[in-house]
Each structure stands twice: as C-alpha cells, then as structure tokens.
Amino acid sequence: YDILETYDQWIALLSQIFPESDKAEAISKYSREIYDRIQQKVASLPEEERKKVLFLFQYDETQMVTSGRNFFGQFWCEAVGAVNAAEEVAADNSNAVITMEHVYGWDPDLIFITNFTPTQPADLMGNKVGADDWSTVKAVQNGEVYKLPLGTYRSYTPSSDTPVTLLWMAQKVYPDLFEDVDMTAEVRDYYQELYGVALTDEQIGRMYNPASAGAESFR
C-alpha cells in the first residue's frame, strides 16, 4: 500500500503507452520531493509526540470501517510521521470493521474521513450518525476531524492528487511544522506545471472541502 510507488508505476506504464505525454520522471521527482520535504520535518519527532490518526473509510449507522495495518491508511500515517490508531487491526482491506469501543480505547488525536463514505466531519461533531457518541473522543473535542480532498479521484487511494494530499495531510497533523505551506498555491502550481490544468481558487476550495455527493457512486 505504498501510494507514491503505486502511482509512480501507473504513470510509468501510461508513459509507455502514450510516449508523447511522458510525465513519469517529472511526477516521480515531484512526489519524492514532497515526501522528503515532509520527512525532514517529522523524522526527528519523539514517539511520544507523534499524533495518533484514525481513518474512517466507511461510516454510517450500520458499520464503521477503518484502515488497519494492511490498508492505505498505514502508509499515509507513516509518511507524515503519525501513528495509525488502528494499526493493530490485521484484517484485510475489505472488512476492518470496528466499533465505538475501539475508538474510545484508541482516543485518536485526529480523524480523517474518506470520500468513500458520505459522512462529514460535522456528522461526528454533532453525533448525527446512529446512536454513536463521539463527544468524548479527543479529535472531536479539539475539532480535528477532516474530510479528505476530492480531486481527480478519491484521494485516499493512489491518484494524481497523491503528492499534494500528502502535503495537505502533513499540515493538518502537524500545523506548527508546516505553517509556511500555502496549500492553495501548492495545488495550483502542481496541476499547472505537471498536468497543464489551470485551477481557480473556487475549484481548489471545492476539492479541499468536498461534498457528501462524492461518495454516491461507491458501493
């Protein structure tokens, strides 16, 4: 579940198929630069200062599915110097089902919600999903609940959004370490320089504040 490596391989293959649009080297270089930039800031963090992160892959009134060690969430956490709250869950990626009792036991510092579920941060903050009570969870108490970006695809999985999503996540987890990062500028430059796509501030705003409708086609 190394998302950067997976995306590199996808682009390398596409560049072989469409050599006139070969972007493999440039994209790989940018991804590694972002990764190294993050590592320079988080590598020396003491274990006791590393934030505990919980991913909600799917969440509704019937089930809660997270990322254990064998899913994409593990890579995201390690890449930004955080700890996967659910890394003890060894189930495969299709059924890492947990309950509120697990969440209470882990008490994560931050929660990231994917676009594979319509649930929004406000749903946790307001206890709007089933009978679950999130009010005592540290991430909720501190307002550290975020919806992952939705750009070319749902950014939890490998996609062209991966490098900038990694930087965005690092800034959310450790805002003091990445206070100098202007995400709007980073995103705009990335898509313009590597893909020739000129995004407006409004488009970037929608990408980083996605609506619940982004999950509608997922079953």
Side-chain angles (χ1 to χ4, degrees):
Y1 295 101
D2 185 324
I3 301 171
L4 293 180
E5 179 63 26
T6 300
Y7 188 57
D8 275 358
Q9 292 180 12
W10 288 356
I11 293 299
L13 178 59
L14 287 171
S15 293
Q16 292 176 30
I17 298 172
F18 305 104
E20 69 280 6
S21 300
D22 185 351
K23 298 182 182 296
E25 184 176 348
I27 290 173
S28 180
K29 180 175 182 291
Y30 180 86
S31 295
R32 296 302 159 183
E33 286 176 349
I34 291 293
Y35 180 83
D36 290 344
R37 182 175 162 191
I38 293 170
Q39 296 312 301
Q40 289 173 8
K41 292 181 179 291
V42 304
S44 61
L45 282 172
E47 285 300 317
E48 63 273 14
E49 293 182 15
R50 292 179 182 267
K51 298 290 184 67
K52 191 185 302 182
V53 172
L54 176 69
F55 284 89
L56 291 182
F57 176 65
Q58 288 180 276
Y59 178 48
D60 56 32
E61 64 276 2
T62 63
Q63 69 172 353
M64 187 188 306
V65 181
T66 190
S67 169
R69 176 167 291 279
N70 299 319
F71 207 10
F72 292 119
Q74 188 69 26
F75 172 83
W76 287 116
C77 285
E78 292 178 354
V80 300
V83 175
N84 180 7
E87 65 182 1
E88 67 188 53
V89 179
D92 66 33
N93 64 11
S94 65
N95 61 358
V97 178
I98 59 171
T99 67
M100 283 306 301
E101 294 308 313
H102 290 100
V103 178
Y104 294 148
W106 296 326
D107 199 20
D109 297 295
L110 293 93
I111 297 172
F112 288 110
I113 306 172
T114 79
N115 286 287
F116 289 95
T117 183
T119 301
Q120 292 282 351
D123 296 325
L124 269 64
M125 308 293 279
N127 286 329
K128 297 178 181 179
V129 182
D132 292 339
D133 181 8
W134 292 86
S135 64
T136 63
V137 179
K138 186 186 302 181
V140 172
Q141 290 182 335
N142 295 334
E144 300 281 4
V145 183
Y146 304 101
K147 189 78 168 176
L148 284 170
L150 180 61
T152 59
Y153 189 61
R154 301 178 179 107
S155 59
Y156 180 66
T157 57
S159 70
S160 58
D161 309 298
T162 293
V164 281
T165 298
L166 188 63
L167 186 58
W168 171 87
M169 189 177 295
Q171 189 180 59
K172 292 300 184 187
V173 177
Y174 299 112
D176 291 343
L177 295 180
F178 296 92
E179 61 182 355
D180 60 329
V181 174
D182 182 338
M183 279 307 305
T184 299
E186 293 276 355
V187 171
R188 182 186 297 110
D189 292 347
Y190 170 67
Y191 286 99
Q192 178 66 64
E193 294 174 10
L194 289 179
Y195 297 99
V197 176
L199 295 173
T200 65
D201 285 358
E202 181 183 358
Q203 289 171 322
I204 295 172
R206 290 202 305 268
M207 288 169 62
Y208 286 80
N209 296 278
S212 297
E216 285 182 355
S217 63
F218 180 72
R219 296 289 184 271

